[in-house]
Amino acid sequence: MPTDPVLKALAAACPTAREAAAGDSVAGVAPRYAASPASVREASALLRAAAAHDLALAVRGGGSKLGWGAPPARCDLAVDTLRLNQVLEHAAGDLVVRVQAGVSMRHLADVLADTGQQLALDVPPGVAGEGPGPAGAGPGPAGAAGAGTSADGSIAGNATVGGTLATGVAGPRRLRYGTPRDLVIGVTVVRADGTVARSGGKVVKNVAGYDLGKLFAGSYGTLGLIAEAVFRLHPLPAGTAYVTAEYPDTESTGKAVAAAAGSELAPSAVEISRPGRAAPLRTGVLLEGDPQGVAERAELMRGLLGPGAVTHDGAPPWWGWPGQTGTLVRIAYWAAGLPHVLAAVDAAAAAAGLDPAVTGSAAGVIYASLAAECDPAAVAAFVTALRSAFARGEDGGRPASAQVPDGPPALASAVVLYAPPDVTGQLDLWGPVPSLGLMRAVKDQFDPGHRMAPGRFAGGI
Amino acid sequence: VSGRRGWKSWRDGGNLEGSRRRSHAGVTMIENLVPRMTQICGQDGVVTDPAELRTYECDGLTSHRVAPALVVLPRTAEQVAAVVRECAAANIPFVARGSGTGLSGGALPHAEGVLIVTSRMRRIIAIDPVSQRAIVEPGVTNLAVSTAARPFGYFYAPDPSSQVVCSVGGNVAENSGGAHCLKHGFTVHHVMGLQIVTPQGGLTWLGDGTGAAPGYDLTGAFTGSEGTLGIVTKIIVKLSRLPEMVSCLLAGFRTTGEGGNAVSAIIGAGIVPAAIEMMDALAVEAAEAAVACHYPQGAGAVLIVELDGPAADVKRDTAAVRELCQRAGATEIREAEDPAERAVIWTGRKSAFAAMGRISPAYIVQDGVVPRSALGAVLDKIAQLSAETGIRVANVFHAGDGNLHPLVLYDDSSPTATEAAETLSGAILDLCISHGGSITGEHGVGVDKSRYMPKMFGDDDLDTMQLLRCAFDPAGLCNPGKVFPTPRLCGEVPGAHRGPHPLVAAGLAEQF
């Protein structure tokens, strides 16, 4: 029986509560306690106990993205969701699944594949060895251990459903299927004070009440603990094909990806990749569907991409997420601005003496990745230069009709998803945030004590 | 549908807040606002005449009627912001209204409040086909976006059946769906950024059009909030590539059960049609009477399946759908060969609601959702309820996503019949909830269904949703009385919102 009264209270709420160990730190911040609730009820009791003792907490899943975002300003308790590991309901006929947050994306993919279905999200690869598994004794849930990716890099090793939703990540196929916020149709959350609340439901079409799933998607655990989620599913495609080509410069790349993304061939993804400034730009298009139809479309797509285009059955090696080391900057932009965004990246990188690899979706989200060895000051200078270019409106390439004084203040953003500690220390990872005042008001309502992952999110939330 | 509650005359709303909003001199606060509103919106942008005000007393849900105290018709976002600032300063509620086609009373005016009509904000500001985006003002009609995008090879996917007149601003408020959302998604999937006027009168952007702006997804949370979090003044929508091919099949079945089996078989085969619509015998009969759509005679159910996409895939899927319908017992299958024939097939479906007037003096349009796999059981139960009560129910529904639109037919000259119809309509919602569904798939909660919210959500759920309301609108002035059966007290209203800044009040500065 623990003598620490706080731990005693936590353990009364959630038997796996314990003193934190070395592996429990959250983005470099070591908590005093760790717990792994096994039910929504336990999670609720745990958060209520944490509230009673004014503990700040961070929620984690498999830990594959634990290093994302800013380190928490305060973290007394690490709560992992790995014991919330049940696929509660898979209504195959309705293309809907209800899962607990701690189910790994890989396990979920396996379950859904049995009926030819999928949760159509490409999750970044996990990091081998990161994450201790559930706090306390007992084996981890099936599929939660280990890292690595499938052939097309689409399924992360240890990423969980909850972590995927909380970070709002999506890979190449965001072009067709969107991001977690587009696929989540219901959530059960535990608020900072322990209140359990539900929004949405388990039917795809539903407009009853506010859609808290959208609000919690990408909220980095700053509004509450996501305990369960219901997702809309898609059939697994019977056939896939990748068509790739290389271009010497950003202009020709811009034209090719615009032609591909704007074609009637319904691509599921249009990706670009360039390992360094001097290298040619690789472009790849994913086509999914009926095998024969895919073959026909691939042939037409090859024609669109030009003489050097090649069709492959599998993903090219550079497809998908860059490896998870060093610094990763997410650049979101209006798709027409691609050539200029690439030019802005090049200019900012040249000025900082860096040469980032660039990978991502021509649909408007690309990633610049920098090796862990890069000079932290140079990385910070790169991101800052990029942001000032975007603030000046240098995300051009847009047609004159879209350059309107009435539009949003910026049409592009640069967010540092993760970076080594000496970079995170000298840079606002999130950059300027639209409507920050409203976001702070939302945070104040959901977490008035600012105990849920404080400081981890945009605008210091 | 004829009115059965009667409109409430000007300023006799009879709500508790009424007295609070009258000044000591007995002159209403609203009357004090008129000169300033006229200054903001111009002489022709302010409606005070009681007879004219009554033309705004309801939206598409005509059973609820309240004349607003004042109507304003701003032309710009800045004017909307200025109007809202005046309301906020005077503690007067305000309601936004687009084209007034909503079916849940979301734009029902407040008797002591200002109705802000966005119908004059009709600019399509920009179309960026390469980025697949357009920026439009809230009064632009849904169809106008597609019309403007068509020359570039694009369209705006959400297509509520009122798309010729309904406004994009209203679509955002209601998260409107439509027949084709089975494949293409709802409004929320096609809104990438919003400029809004906050309930305090500030003008701000939620999202930046990229769909990946840093911070909370307030664009997503705002969409579908039924006008309770602020007023939309600009919308960045996603445009979708016009499909290479569209095909449309019409299949007649003996029963809705057989039609339902065909739907399950299509979805089970991994095919995602753009739309799967079903009508039962009574709905077909009404449509036939109204528009002579020549659907298969004597069919117990008619299924419309539309597929779109690359030609090769559409051809294959169409053949597969035809085969699956045949196996499910289709008595007749027709396939549209061109857009004109496709339009003919859709005529009956699109006229279905209005066609009820041919077979019934009045009807209630219901909007429940059930898991697709429960469709058969729920339809049987509705038929049973109909038989037990002797009240006819015609069924028109988006079968692909389990969204039912039972039309409860009744004679509104009889109060007993009206009450019985309402009871049956409510029983259908109970049925949807008990099958794990929803009380509304696309029409919204509004005033019509707020009383059903506690059947679907617990107190903690509703309370938690209202935290969002409190973050945006702590004073509770923005479309009050909608969505939630009981308003939540938001605690202390931040000092900054208690009154306007002197410069703001003088019209010299904007409050952000």
Side-chain angles (χ1 to χ4, degrees):
Chain A
M1 204 59 196
T3 50
D4 176 344
V6 175
L7 182 55
K8 213 165 149 180
L10 295 177
C14 173
T16 52
R18 56 173 172 79
E19 275 173 29
D24 292 318
S25 54
V26 175
V29 178
R32 274 150 59 203
Y33 311 104
S36 187
S39 65
V40 177
R41 186 189 295 248
E42 249 182 61
S44 166
L46 178 69
L47 264 60
R48 195 167 296 127
H53 292 88
D54 192 33
L55 302 183
L57 57 103
V59 182
R60 52 168 298 164
S64 65
K65 293 177 284 296
L66 205 55
W68 290 33
R74 188 157 83 90
C75 182
D76 306 307
L77 169 67
V79 181
D80 82 56
T81 59
L82 294 176
R83 283 172 192 275
L84 295 168
N85 60 0
Q86 303 300 308
V87 176
L88 299 167
E89 189 179 354
H90 174 207
D94 300 321
L95 286 159
V96 162
V97 71
R98 189 161 70 93
V99 282
Q100 289 189 313
V103 170
S104 76
M105 290 295 283
R106 172 181 281 176
H107 177 61
L108 180 60
D110 289 343
V111 169
L112 300 177
D114 285 344
T115 49
Q117 297 181 355
Q118 61 170 332
L119 174 56
L121 293 169
D122 306 311
V123 176
V127 178
E130 189 173 327
T149 61
S150 67
D152 64 354
S154 63
I155 295 173
N158 48 4
T160 59
V161 166
T164 301
L165 189 53
T167 48
V169 296
R173 291 181 302 162
R174 68 186 302 138
L175 179 66
R176 173 164 177 183
Y177 301 103
T179 67
R181 62 88 86 176
D182 294 303
L183 299 173
V184 66
I185 59 171
V187 284
T188 301
V189 299
V190 184
R191 271 161 49 188
D193 64 2
T195 305
V196 177
R198 194 171 57 80
S199 99
K202 49 181 197 173
V203 284
V204 172
K205 199 169 182 183
N206 176 12
V207 294
Y210 294 158
D211 190 347
L212 299 182
K214 303 276 185 288
L215 190 65
F216 274 71
S219 67
Y220 276 68
T222 57
L223 295 177
L225 180 152
I226 299 170
E228 291 176 16
V230 190
F231 291 98
R232 173 192 183 175
L233 304 174
H234 285 86
L236 276 169
T240 54
Y242 295 80
V243 185
T244 63
E246 283 190 5
Y247 301 96
D249 54 47
T250 55
E251 279 305 316
S252 50
T253 307
K255 282 193 185 121
V257 297
S263 79
E264 294 172 331
L265 302 172
S268 295
V270 179
E271 291 279 295
I272 55 160
S273 173
R274 195 186 63 182
R277 206 154 48 241
L281 269 148
R282 300 176 291 216
T283 298
V285 177
L286 168 63
L287 298 163
E288 298 179 314
D290 172 85
Q292 205 182 327
V294 164
E296 291 166 28
R297 282 190 279 148
E299 199 51 33
L300 294 167
M301 185 57 78
R302 230 157 52 81
L304 268 183
L305 292 187
V310 184
T311 304
H312 318 258
D313 292 334
W318 51 265
W319 188 262
W321 286 86
Q324 206 181 20
T325 56
T327 300
L328 190 68
V329 185
R330 183 187 71 196
I331 300 163
Y333 61 99
W334 285 44
L338 177 62
H340 203 96
V341 165
L342 289 172
V345 169
D346 289 349
L354 298 170
D355 191 12
V358 175
T359 303
S361 171
V365 176
I366 57 172
Y367 302 88
S369 61
L370 290 156
E373 306 79 65
C374 291
D375 172 25
V379 174
F382 166 67
V383 174
T384 306
L386 207 48
R387 283 181 188 152
S388 38
F390 294 157
R392 288 194 304 269
E394 290 178 19
D395 48 350
R398 277 175 287 141
S401 65
Q403 294 175 357
V404 283
D406 284 352
L411 300 189
S413 64
V415 170
V416 179
L417 292 184
Y418 55 81
D422 39 7
V423 175
T424 59
Q426 54 180 292
L427 184 65
D428 171 11
L429 301 188
W430 296 90
V433 183
S435 289
L436 183 56
L438 281 172
M439 290 182 195
R440 290 204 171 116
V442 170
K443 169 73 172 179
D444 289 346
Q445 288 290 333
F446 278 83
D447 178 21
H450 291 202
R451 293 183 299 101
M452 301 296 299
R456 228 147 138 61
F457 197 49
I461 289 172
Chain B
V1 189
S2 62
R4 51 179 185 271
R5 295 200 178 108
W7 49 266
K8 295 178 178 172
S9 64
W10 190 38
R11 263 188 256 140
D12 79 347
N15 58 46
L16 293 171
E17 296 143 289
S19 54
R20 178 159 70 78
R21 296 202 170 88
R22 284 167 208 272
S23 67
H24 294 299
V27 183
T28 64
M29 298 286 284
I30 288 281
E31 280 168 11
N32 290 336
L33 276 186
V34 171
R36 179 68 186 121
M37 293 298 184
T38 309
Q39 223 178 358
I40 296 166
C41 299
Q43 202 75 51
D44 67 344
V46 179
V47 177
T48 54
D49 172 56
E52 225 182 309
L53 288 171
R54 270 174 220 147
T55 62
Y56 294 97
E57 68 189 3
C58 68
D59 58 13
L61 182 77
T62 53
S63 55
H64 291 64
R65 289 169 193 248
V66 177
L70 187 69
V71 171
V72 295
L73 298 120
R75 292 184 187 276
T76 67
E78 289 71 20
Q79 288 177 2
V80 175
V83 165
V84 170
R85 279 198 298 276
E86 295 296 327
C87 291
N91 198 35
I92 284 174
F94 50 92
V95 176
R97 172 185 166 117
S99 301
T101 56
L103 292 170
S104 57
L108 184 76
H110 192 288
E112 299 282 339
V114 176
L115 187 72
I116 302 171
V117 181
T118 60
S119 59
R120 290 185 175 180
M121 300 172 70
R122 286 185 180 258
R123 280 190 308 152
I124 292 178
I125 296 166
I127 290 186
D128 179 349
V130 176
S131 298
Q132 309 189 345
R133 298 288 184 271
I135 307 179
V136 303
E137 289 188 331
V140 171
T141 63
N142 174 291
L143 189 61
V145 183
S146 284
T147 306
R150 184 166 291 271
F152 303 97
Y154 288 87
F155 72 111
Y156 177 53
D159 63 339
S161 49
S162 54
Q163 69 177 148
V164 179
V165 282
C166 68
S167 70
V168 179
N171 293 171
V172 170
E174 300 297 318
N175 186 17
S176 302
H180 293 79
C181 55
L182 174 62
K183 175 174 177 180
H184 298 289
F186 314 98
T187 298
V188 70
H189 300 120
H190 299 272
V191 170
M192 311 306 286
L194 295 169
Q195 185 197 47
I196 66 158
V197 170
T198 67
Q200 297 79 43
L203 202 51
T204 189
W205 276 93
L206 312 180
D208 58 6
T210 64
Y216 297 129
D217 180 10
L218 297 185
T219 307
F222 189 99
T223 305
S225 61
E226 306 199 26
T228 60
L229 300 181
I231 300 179
V232 178
T233 46
K234 287 184 189 72
I235 304 118
I236 305 176
V237 299
K238 180 155 86 183
L239 300 175
S240 305
R241 187 72 175 84
L242 282 165
E244 185 181 6
M245 184 177 178
V246 180
S247 88
C248 188
L249 281 176
L250 182 143
F253 293 90
R254 278 179 292 269
T255 64
T256 50
E258 282 183 3
N261 291 341
V263 174
S264 295
I266 292 164
I267 301 294
I271 298 168
V272 184
I276 308 182
E277 302 285 303
M278 193 155 30
M279 293 165 70
D280 71 2
L282 192 52
V284 170
E285 180 197 322
E288 199 63 56
V291 295
C293 51
H294 305 302
Y295 284 176
Q297 276 205 333
V302 162
L303 200 63
I304 298 172
V305 183
E306 190 158 287
L307 296 128
D308 67 18
D313 293 39
V314 170
K315 281 179 194 157
R316 242 180 305 275
D317 286 349
T318 306
V321 167
R322 177 184 275 276
E323 167 78 23
L324 292 167
C325 284
Q326 253 152 11
R327 256 191 264 163
T331 51
E332 185 178 340
I333 298 178
R334 295 178 199 162
E335 190 176 332
E337 301 289 338
D338 55 40
E341 287 186 23
R342 205 162 69 233
V344 169
I345 287 185
W346 278 100
T347 306
R349 168 62 186 89
K350 288 191 172 173
S351 69
F353 287 9
M356 292 304 144
R358 297 277 177 157
I359 59 169
S360 177
Y363 60 94
I364 297 170
V365 179
Q366 198 40 281
D367 173 42
V369 188
V370 296
R372 181 171 37 233
S373 52
L375 263 182
V378 170
L379 286 172
D380 286 349
K381 187 71 189 165
I382 291 175
Q384 193 190 324
L385 287 171
S386 170
E388 281 167 15
T389 55
I391 299 171
R392 291 187 301 166
V393 179
N395 284 293
V396 176
F397 45 99
H398 308 301
D401 39 30
N403 187 190
L404 304 160
H405 290 312
L407 300 148
V408 180
L409 312 183
Y410 68 102
D411 180 354
D412 58 337
S413 63
S414 151
T416 341
T418 304
E419 206 185 311
E422 283 183 348
T423 305
L424 175 58
S425 179
I428 291 174
L429 286 187
D430 289 338
L431 200 53
C432 292
I433 296 169
S434 71
H435 280 83
S438 170
I439 57 171
T440 173
E442 56 185 4
H443 294 173
V445 176
V447 287
D448 191 34
K449 287 182 172 169
S450 57
R451 65 187 188 280
Y452 293 104
M453 286 289 274
K455 293 188 175 191
M456 194 167 156
F457 296 108
D459 287 347
D460 284 344
D461 305 333
L462 294 173
D463 230 35
T464 303
M465 290 179 194
Q466 293 208 69
L467 293 176
L468 190 61
R469 172 72 183 266
C470 289
F472 276 76
D473 182 24
L477 293 176
C478 191
N479 209 8
K482 311 291 169 66
V483 185
F484 299 103
T486 326
R488 183 183 209 274
L489 292 176
C490 294
E492 199 177 62
V493 178
H497 300 139
R498 287 212 183 101
H501 186 277
L503 283 176
V504 171
L508 298 171
E510 294 221 342
Q511 186 180 325
F512 284 94

